[in-house]
Amino acid sequence: MRFALASGCPILTLCRGSQMLSALRGGTLIGDIESEVGSSICHLKDCSDPAYDSNRHSIRVSPDTPLAEWFSESLQNTDELLVNSYHHQSVKTLGENLVEMARAPDGILEAFYDPNYDVALGRFVVGLQFHPERMLEDYPGCAKVYKAFGDACWAYKNLQDGRVTRDSP
């Protein structure tokens, strides 16, 4: 991930990867949500629990962010989504040049991005604490996360191959 960050390569991180991304940019972590925050929200069910994969909790999505754009169809008249949760750790303080996109009601950060975000120019650094690939039937926005990431990768490759420049329209 250090190489990807240094080279400007698009990055999409999920769950522990988002924690790593923030830490690599100087952020800090909550080592154990239950003991350090005392949340009433279940962020991690035992994997033997039959409801393990269906566990959801709410998040509040910040307006004018990529997350709000991807999930715009589902955010009509609300700023809340229900997301899955498989973590007992979380970002405590965001790393350098990262901006919050969503938080759970207990204050746990659930999504962030680098504000230099521009899919057409291959600029995509996003951290999601949840797993949209496991929620594709829940929201159309889940697939849009991957579409935007793929488009950013394509743009980045074209820039690297000299097919377009960052100054091209």
Side-chain angles (χ1 to χ4, degrees):
M1 190 179 306
R2 284 187 178 105
F3 177 77
L5 284 168
S7 67
C9 178
I11 299 172
L12 173 60
T13 60
L14 306 175
C15 203
R16 183 179 295 158
S18 68
Q19 298 163 21
M20 188 169 119
L21 170 59
S22 181
L24 283 170
R25 287 215 172 159
T28 61
L29 298 178
I30 296 169
D32 183 65
I33 294 169
E34 189 174 343
S35 65
E36 292 180 43
V37 177
S39 175
S40 62
I41 294 174
C42 179
H43 287 278
L44 178 65
K45 279 203 175 284
D46 184 288
C47 63
S48 65
D49 188 316
Y52 176 74
D53 206 37
S54 62
N55 183 44
R56 302 284 189 270
H57 67 76
S58 66
I59 61 171
R60 287 204 121 98
V61 178
S62 301
D64 304 316
T65 61
L67 191 66
E69 178 186 328
W70 301 326
F71 288 85
S72 62
E73 291 174 56
S74 303
L75 291 170
Q76 300 297 317
N77 304 314
T78 186
D79 63 355
E80 288 191 17
L81 296 172
L82 293 175
V83 296
N84 55 27
S85 193
Y86 306 99
H87 61 102
H88 76 97
Q89 295 180 311
S90 180
V91 171
K92 185 174 188 175
T93 57
L94 270 174
E96 185 178 329
N97 205 34
L98 297 172
V99 176
E100 178 180 322
M101 290 197 292
R103 219 171 254 282
D106 60 2
I108 298 298
L109 185 68
E110 294 283 341
F112 58 86
Y113 75 115
D114 184 315
N116 292 318
Y117 175 90
D118 188 328
V119 170
L121 295 178
R123 296 183 193 148
F124 189 109
V125 177
V126 170
L128 303 176
Q129 190 61 67
F130 57 95
H131 287 265
E133 78 281 5
R134 297 179 88 151
M135 298 176 18
L136 291 170
E137 294 181 13
D138 294 13
Y139 299 108
C142 291
K144 291 179 181 180
V145 171
Y146 296 103
K147 170 83 167 86
F149 179 60
D151 289 348
C153 291
W154 182 256
Y156 178 80
K157 177 164 181 3
N158 285 334
L159 286 164
Q160 296 302 305
D161 292 348
R163 291 189 206 148
V164 294
T165 66
R166 292 202 189 265
D167 299 325
S168 296

